Amino acid sequence: MEEHWDSHAALAALAWQLEAGVTDAVCDDPIDRFAAAEEAAAAPERPQITGLPPKPAAPPPRLPEKDPVVEASAAAGGCADLGALRAAMEAFDLCDLKRGAKQLVFADGTPGARVMILGEAPGRDEDREGLPFVGRAGQLLDRMLAAIGLDRRATGADGVYITNVLPWRPPQNRDPLPQEIAMMMPFVQRHVQLAKPDVIVLMGNISCQAALGKRGITRLRGEFTQAFDRPALPMFHPAFLLRNPAAKREAWADLLTLRAHLNERAKP
């Protein structure tokens, strides 16, 4: 006798099967799943629907970023003389200051002089001329040096060699950032090694921060310390003296301290 089910009976039977845990329907005839998969693989590909946007390409793998300090150390360490060091600094492209400066400001004066002055960073005049300490502060520095018998244009014992922590002018003459100082320090260290001064004059807070890891030039000035394995004397920056003329008395005392040090250790 053929059984006829209405929709309510069919739904009730289906609900009972679901309640009993049925998850798959079994057909009267078995299905060969392996054959079905082979037929699907052999079937021709369906034509692609045109007009749809192309699938975006996978982004290229990101290259590891270069460590500026490591790169600077490698570049500076391979320099055998000051000419090679200047070329290495001109080729160094990881400091953003280079993009905004007119040119590299490397050094001035007499290489091999007993006194090496380490300033902070080039200003507008230095950026234009390509030499350190050529503006008003530089003119004052020349007068200060002349007062104790030193001259950047002289050779021999009376000569002076001058450079900066940073070789490129910061925008708007702002203070250098710690990361900018850090990436240029390998070049500064190699510069000192190649110039071979007897004493280093640290002009201003930035120079003391770079060479000594300290700030507070008012407290540090006038007392010899060690930097780059050499005697170092912190002093007021000439630009500070232009803004604070009353500090010239302390600057004169520091110049006399430098002169006395040079006289005591004069080379035969």
Side-chain angles (χ1 to χ4, degrees):
M1 180 177 178
E2 185 177 356
E3 185 177 4
H4 295 281
W5 288 19
D6 58 18
S7 59
H8 297 287
L11 287 174
L14 180 59
W16 179 84
Q17 294 182 54
L18 293 175
E19 188 72 21
V22 175
T23 58
D24 297 291
V26 179
C27 302
D28 294 334
D29 298 324
I31 298 176
D32 189 343
R33 303 291 182 183
F34 295 102
E38 293 176 356
E39 292 177 1
E45 294 184 1
R46 296 181 179 179
Q48 294 184 351
I49 301 175
T50 60
L52 295 178
K55 184 178 179 180
R62 292 186 61 184
L63 298 176
E65 295 183 0
K66 295 181 179 179
D67 186 325
V69 177
V70 173
E71 296 293 322
S73 298
C79 298
D81 53 43
L82 292 173
L85 181 66
R86 177 171 189 150
M89 293 172 68
E90 287 178 335
F92 187 72
D93 292 328
L94 298 181
C95 184
D96 290 338
L97 293 178
K98 181 179 180 180
R99 297 172 177 82
K102 292 182 181 297
Q103 59 184 317
L104 177 89
V105 178
F106 182 68
D108 193 20
T110 307
R114 296 185 64 194
V115 176
M116 181 176 185
I117 294 177
L118 183 61
E120 300 180 346
R124 180 187 59 187
D125 296 321
E126 290 76 14
D127 187 37
R128 182 178 61 249
E129 298 293 332
L131 295 171
F133 286 94
V134 294
R136 291 182 61 224
Q139 295 168 12
L140 176 56
L141 174 62
D142 288 340
R143 295 196 297 271
M144 293 167 61
L145 295 174
I148 58 171
L150 299 178
D151 190 334
R152 73 169 82 190
R153 292 171 294 276
T155 59
D158 296 333
V160 177
Y161 189 64
I162 305 174
T163 188
N164 284 313
V165 173
L166 295 185
W168 297 290
R169 179 194 181 193
Q172 307 302 319
N173 290 341
R174 64 160 171 78
D175 284 349
L177 302 176
Q179 59 266 32
E180 294 168 345
I181 295 175
M183 74 175 68
M184 299 313 300
M185 281 307 296
F187 292 111
V188 175
Q189 292 169 351
R190 189 58 179 156
H191 207 154
V192 173
Q193 292 170 355
L194 294 172
K196 300 178 180 178
D198 291 342
V199 60
I200 301 172
V201 176
L202 304 175
M203 285 287 186
N205 261 326
I206 300 302
S207 302
C208 292
Q209 177 184 347
L212 307 176
K214 301 176 182 179
R215 292 180 68 99
I217 189 63
T218 302
R219 173 175 47 85
L220 296 172
R221 54 144 291 272
E223 297 291 336
F224 268 97
T225 182
Q226 286 288 119
F228 310 106
D229 298 322
R230 288 168 170 79
L233 179 64
M235 292 182 59
F236 286 131
H237 196 284
F240 174 81
L241 297 176
L242 290 173
R243 299 190 302 268
N244 302 273
K248 290 183 179 180
R249 175 179 295 183
E250 287 85 355
W252 173 240
D254 296 345
L255 288 170
L256 294 178
T257 299
L258 175 61
R259 182 72 264 177
H261 177 89
L262 294 174
N263 292 343
E264 292 173 1
R265 294 162 177 78
K267 293 182 178 179

